[in-house]
Amino acid sequence: MRDGIETAKRGLPTVALVTEQFWDQGDFVAGASGMPDLPRHQLPHPVAGSGRENMAKLANEIADELIARLRNDPVPS
């Protein structure tokens, strides 16, 4: 969340990637930082340490959505 907040503060398109275990903490951090509406995408937990194949599969599954959100385009279904 904090990286996403810092990126957004610099005026860059941002979508924070947050695992489900830390989603509520992300709500708190975003609100406390004055950016409660910062775009986020929820990932399964854990991602780190889940293996290269799993991480590549996850990246391929969410890439189109993230690109659309960064461009402010309609999100593909």
Side-chain angles (χ1 to χ4, degrees), residues 37-62:
D37 297 325
L38 182 77
R40 290 184 286 163
H41 182 87
Q42 191 175 76
L43 301 173
H45 186 85
V47 174
S50 64
R52 291 182 85 151
E53 286 183 28
N54 186 57
M55 291 176 69
K57 180 179 179 247
L58 178 60
N60 285 328
E61 289 172 358
I62 66 173

Side-chain angles (χ1 to χ4, degrees), residues 4 13 15-17 22 26-27 31 37 41 46 49 51 57 65 68 70-72 75:
V15 177
L17 303 177
F22 295 102
D27 286 339
D37 297 325
H41 182 87
K57 180 179 179 247
E65 176 185 340
L70 289 167
R71 290 181 175 164
N72 287 321
V75 176

